[in-house]
Each structure stands twice: as C-alpha cells, then as structure tokens.
Amino acid sequence: MKIIVPMAGRGSRLRPHTLTIPKPLIPIAGKPIVHRLVEDIVGVLNQDIEEVAFIIHESFGKKVEQDLIAIAEKLGAKGTIYYQNEPLGTGHAIMCAKDSLSGPAVIAYADTLIRADFDLDQNADSVIWVKQVDQPEAFGVININEANEIIELVEKPKEFVSDLAVIGIYYFKDVAVLKNELQAVLDNNIIHGGEYQINDGIKQMMAKGMKFVPGKVSEWMDCGNKDVTVETNSRMLSFLHDDGEKLVNDIVRIENSTIIEPCYIAEDVVLINSIVGPNVSLGKGTHLTNVKIKNSLVQTHAHISNAKLDNAMIGNHAIFNGEFTSISIGDYSVLE
C-alpha cells in the first residue's frame, strides 16, 4: 500500500502562521497535521505501508523535506518528495507523483484530519471517504444507488443530491488506472475552475464501469483557517485524552499553576502563576507567566505574560504581553 499526499502551497488562509512553516506542518495537539493524517490513515487501513509520497512546493525547503521523509520512515515506509510548483489543481498535483502511482494507494489532501474505524471494501475499485454534513450545498457530494455504490460526484449542488460530503481522501485498488485517466485529462486539457481536477479522472473511471463505494468517517476536522484550526486542536485533544494518551510531558516546570485537562504540554514548558486549559496545546520551550489560557494553540518557544487568552493561536518564538483575548500572531512576532 502507498499513501500519496498532495500538500499544495503554504496555506494563505492561515497566515501569518504559514509564512515560515507550511500549513500541513503546523502542530495539532503536539504533532504536525500531515503526521497525524498519515498515522490516522495507516490506522484505518491496518496494512503495511510501502511508500509515502509527498507533493510539495519546492520553496518549502530541505528541512521540511527531511521532516516529511522522517514521518514516512517512522511508519516503516519509504518517503518520497515530488514538486508541484504551479497551482494547477488536484489532478495535476497527483500527476506530479506519477512515478509512484502504481498498485493499491490512498490519496489524501494534507489539510484535514479524520477519526474513522472501518474495513476497506476489497471488491471495490475505489473508496471515497465522505462525512455527513448539515449544508451539503457548500461541498462536493456523492450520489449513491440502492447498492451503496457511488454513481456521481456533484460539486456544490444547488438542489439536494445527498448530505455526504467528499473530504479529500481516496483509496484506489490500482492507482495506475487513475494515473491513466488523469493523463488523458492533461493531454486533452480538460479544465474546471482553471485547474486539472481529480474528479475528471474519477468520472472517466466511473464511465467505464468501475465500482466506487463510500467510506464514512465519524469525525472530519478542517485546518483551513485560524478559528477552525484552534477548534480542531481542541477536538483532537479531547479524543486523545479519551483514548488515554499521555499529553503532558514529564519535563515541565510548574510554579503556582493549574492544568485543566485536556491539554498538550511539551517538554521544557514553564508555567508560573498560570491557569492552562482546557483544550490548550503548548509547544516545546514555551513560557507562561501570569496567564489564563483556554481553547488555544501555542507553538514552540513562545513567551506569554499578563494575558487572558481564549481562541488564540500563537506562533513560534512569539513574545506576547497584554490583555487581548482573541488573537492570531505569527512566528517571531512581538506584542508588548
């Protein structure tokens, strides 16, 4: 089994946090989004992973590439890096990794997290992960027949088709079939919304009679902008706490402070006269003094003092001193 992970650009909707680190590497409950995503997929598949291929922009840099390869190797897989330097769509991104498109594979976009527990339908040519949503008109959705087979993909339907939204994770029994169809999309310059789309390759597979079935997830968490990323961090902390995972490092200095679970607190964090939690992630080396903080995500080596924070997202090496309650400041920012 292979996992193909298109990572697109840095993530403009999450600036300033993505100016120095790509969105898929922003930590959720202490672990990068893409790392959690790949681990969750491996847990669902319950199969050995041969390769994890990441499609990134070349500007991400060698350090990011090394981190991504390390994620694959931690799972016992080969890590491969491909480049998509022009934003030409999902179909184009996948084809940037065409040398890895063979055999069974999962394709997963790296700005989402899931919770799921099901077995793959081994008789299907493809599984498309979906989640029941309240406003299907805002999403791409699937249309299924009485046999629970997907017969149509509809983008942002004006009239009700179904409430099962496509979340951007796909399984293919032989991803080389998709590669062939996407090559035809590129060769024939089939463009929608100014881009080459994976859906056009999938639709051609459906037209040839291949069997597509839905795979439903219990939780689908977005990391598109600051507010939903903070919310996703809170939800993930709750899941991990319920799973019994140890979230507070042993190497934490606590002086006259209280931790209200669930919280992720990394090593070398210092808490002085502070109340932390619930639903807070503090990255390595962060210092809090006279702080009350809840429902927030703080990355590494930040120094925060004299603050009451809720729904806050603070970047690496930031310095913050004040009374603001809902903030979004990026790496190396200083507020005094």
Side-chain angles (χ1 to χ4, degrees):
M1 180 72 70
K2 297 179 181 179
I3 301 177
I4 313 297
V5 188
M7 293 177 58
R10 288 186 171 271
S12 59
R13 291 190 298 152
L14 203 49
R15 291 173 181 165
H17 303 283
T18 53
L19 293 176
T20 58
I21 182 172
K23 178 170 64 175
L25 290 181
I26 287 179
I28 296 294
K31 190 175 292 185
I33 295 168
V34 67
H35 195 165
R36 287 205 176 277
L37 173 65
V38 171
E39 283 189 345
D40 288 344
I41 291 171
V42 171
V44 169
L45 295 175
N46 196 27
Q47 297 184 30
D48 291 335
I49 304 302
E50 169 190 346
E51 179 184 10
V52 183
F54 300 95
I55 301 109
I56 66 173
H57 194 283
E58 199 166 7
S59 66
F60 282 15
K62 295 301 179 184
K63 176 61 168 61
V64 169
E65 294 179 20
Q66 292 168 1
D67 290 344
L68 293 173
I69 290 173
I71 290 172
E73 292 177 346
K74 186 177 180 181
L75 296 169
K78 172 187 175 184
T80 310
I81 302 295
Y82 294 97
Y83 301 118
Q84 184 194 31
N85 290 329
E86 296 179 88
L88 297 179
T90 56
H92 177 266
I94 293 163
M95 289 301 287
C96 290
K98 61 183 178 181
D99 289 345
S100 294
L101 299 181
S102 62
V106 167
I107 295 173
Y109 299 114
D111 59 355
T112 189
L113 292 172
I114 62 168
R115 301 282 283 186
D117 183 16
F118 63 89
D119 294 325
L120 284 174
D121 185 339
Q122 300 297 328
N123 295 317
D125 295 298
S126 177
V127 177
I128 299 179
W129 271 262
V130 295
K131 177 69 172 68
Q132 192 171 28
V133 295
D134 293 331
Q135 297 178 306
E137 66 275 8
F139 302 90
V141 301
I142 62 169
N143 190 5
I144 56 177
N145 61 19
E146 293 180 355
N148 196 41
E149 296 175 353
I150 301 171
I151 56 174
E152 188 180 16
L153 296 174
V154 183
E155 185 64 26
K156 297 182 179 179
K158 294 181 180 179
E159 297 182 359
F160 183 82
V161 175
S162 82
D163 58 0
L164 298 176
V166 177
I167 68 172
I169 305 178
Y170 311 81
Y171 162 77
F172 295 91
K173 183 183 290 185
D174 184 2
V175 76
V177 179
L178 176 68
K179 178 173 72 170
N180 292 337
E181 300 300 343
L182 287 178
Q183 187 62 58
V185 169
L186 297 177
D187 291 343
N188 293 291
N189 201 33
I190 300 173
I191 293 176
H192 288 97
E195 298 179 337
Y196 300 99
Q197 304 290 355
I198 185 177
N199 280 3
D200 289 309
I202 290 173
K203 289 175 181 178
Q204 292 175 180
M205 292 174 67
M206 288 181 178
K208 294 179 179 178
M210 294 186 175
K211 180 181 178 181
F212 283 73
V213 300
K216 296 181 182 180
V217 298
S218 57
E219 296 288 343
W220 175 28
M221 294 164 282
D222 188 20
C223 300
N225 58 40
K226 171 251 179 178
D227 285 339
V228 298
T229 300
V230 170
E231 180 185 356
T232 290
N233 180 70
S234 295
R235 291 171 67 187
M236 183 59 68
L237 286 170
S238 180
F239 294 140
L240 297 175
H241 180 262
D242 290 345
D243 291 344
E245 185 166 326
K246 179 178 172 60
L247 296 174
V248 178
N249 195 278
D250 291 330
I251 308 175
V252 176
R253 178 180 159 197
I254 301 175
E255 296 183 10
N256 192 33
S257 296
T258 302
I259 299 170
I260 304 172
E261 296 181 337
C263 289
Y264 169 81
I265 301 181
E267 63 182 310
D268 298 327
V269 167
V270 176
L271 306 177
I272 300 174
N273 300 327
S274 295
I275 299 175
V276 179
N279 304 320
V280 173
S281 287
L282 301 179
K284 180 179 179 180
T286 291
H287 286 222
L288 303 187
T289 304
N290 300 323
V291 171
K292 293 182 179 180
I293 183 171
K294 61 182 180 180
N295 306 315
S296 297
L297 194 164
V298 182
Q299 297 189 51
T300 63
H301 303 287
H303 285 239
I304 306 170
S305 58
N306 307 314
K308 183 178 180 181
L309 301 175
D310 185 5
N311 189 37
M313 185 169 177
I314 298 177
N316 300 286
H317 299 274
I319 299 173
F320 177 70
N321 184 344
E323 299 297 334
F324 300 100
T325 58
S326 180
I327 66 169
S328 180
I329 59 177
D331 298 354
Y332 296 96
S333 300
V334 177
L335 294 177
E336 296 179 328

